[in-house]
Amino acid sequence: MEKIFFVLVLALSTISCSIKYQDSFNAENSVPEFKFEESELTRYEKRKITVSFSAQELEQYKKSSESFAKNIDFTSFDDNGEVSVQGSCDLLSANTDTETYLLFDNINVYSKKEAATFTSDSLRWDAKTEQLTSGRLDTVKIKKDDVTIYGTGFSSSGIDKTFRFSGTVSGEIITKDNNQNNNIEEESKNEQE
């Protein structure tokens, strides 16, 4: 009876174990080399600050140029050290080799130069081409002064300072009665009389 039990256990263990020796698990690809919580980082180039950000969580992997962050606030600076862009998002994926940055959930980006705010749930920034894009069906809201535009299929060029939507667009323009303009017209009428 013991021989039958031993043979049965040996047979079951041989059948149920199928180890592929050529497929090795590489922990370096799935476990972060560094994980920071409540971190604040600043990036310098040529002794000038270019970007600063804070994150609730930040992960960096050993054999990868990718970093991932959660609940991030960031500020970008121009060549003169002045703030050019400020923003926040819930999730960020950054690849420093390709210089691409994927932002997700509750994105709020303010461009000081354009005096415009961009909000969305998904945006992609390509630093090499200076292109900011959304997914084809993702809605982006742009607010500048008294104009608010909503659209899908957003793309923007930092080089020629243009943007466009390839999908549906809606918006609103708020106008105010400008008493100063009315007074100027009345004054010019009185001077002509």
Side-chain angles (χ1 to χ4, degrees):
M1 178 80 167
E2 290 178 24
K3 287 183 180 180
I4 295 173
F5 180 73
F6 179 74
V7 171
L8 182 61
V9 170
L10 185 62
L12 286 174
S13 66
T14 319
I15 294 170
S16 62
C17 294
S18 60
I19 299 174
K20 295 183 179 178
Y21 293 102
Q22 70 272 17
D23 292 344
S24 61
F25 174 73
N26 188 352
E28 292 176 350
N29 293 336
S30 61
V31 178
E33 180 179 24
F34 298 107
K35 184 172 183 177
F36 302 99
E37 293 183 1
E38 303 301 332
S39 59
E40 293 185 21
L41 300 167
T42 304
R43 179 179 176 187
Y44 290 87
E45 290 180 14
K46 298 178 184 176
R47 299 183 184 212
K48 292 183 181 180
I49 186 172
T50 57
V51 176
S52 69
F53 67 91
S54 63
Q56 181 182 358
E57 291 180 24
L58 176 66
E59 295 179 353
Q60 175 67 50
Y61 292 81
K62 186 173 185 176
K63 293 188 177 180
S64 173
S65 58
E66 293 181 317
S67 299
F68 302 93
K70 179 179 178 183
N71 295 331
I72 185 168
D73 292 306
F74 57 90
T75 304
S76 176
F77 299 87
D78 64 17
D79 292 337
N80 299 322
E82 299 290 325
V83 172
S84 61
V85 176
Q86 291 179 301
S88 62
C89 63
D90 288 353
L91 299 170
L92 172 75
S93 170
N95 186 320
T96 54
D97 281 348
T98 61
E99 296 185 46
T100 55
Y101 305 87
L102 305 174
L103 295 81
F104 299 101
D105 299 334
N106 298 314
I107 302 165
N108 188 356
V109 177
Y110 175 73
S111 172
K112 187 175 179 182
K113 191 172 185 179
E114 274 71 31
T117 302
F118 301 83
T119 55
S120 183
D121 281 327
S122 176
L123 288 174
R124 179 182 187 272
W125 170 251
D126 186 325
K128 288 182 180 178
T129 62
E130 295 188 34
Q131 297 288 313
L132 181 66
T133 57
S134 74
R136 188 171 57 93
L137 300 176
D138 295 326
T139 300
V140 175
K141 173 185 170 185
I142 302 173
K143 180 158 179 46
K144 182 173 179 168
D145 300 323
D146 295 332
V147 177
T148 304
I149 301 170
Y150 301 86
T152 57
F154 172 79
S155 63
S156 171
S157 170
I159 295 171
D160 62 9
K161 310 294 185 231
T162 60
F163 70 88
R164 61 178 234 141
F165 293 96
S166 63
T168 59
V169 177
S170 64
E172 57 187 42
I173 299 173
I174 299 171
T175 58
K176 299 175 185 175
D177 287 336
N178 191 346
N179 292 332
Q180 185 179 9
N181 287 342
N182 292 338
N183 291 339
I184 292 171
E185 288 177 18
E186 288 176 22
E187 288 175 13
S188 62
K189 284 182 184 177
N190 291 334
E191 288 176 5
Q192 290 176 357
E193 293 176 356

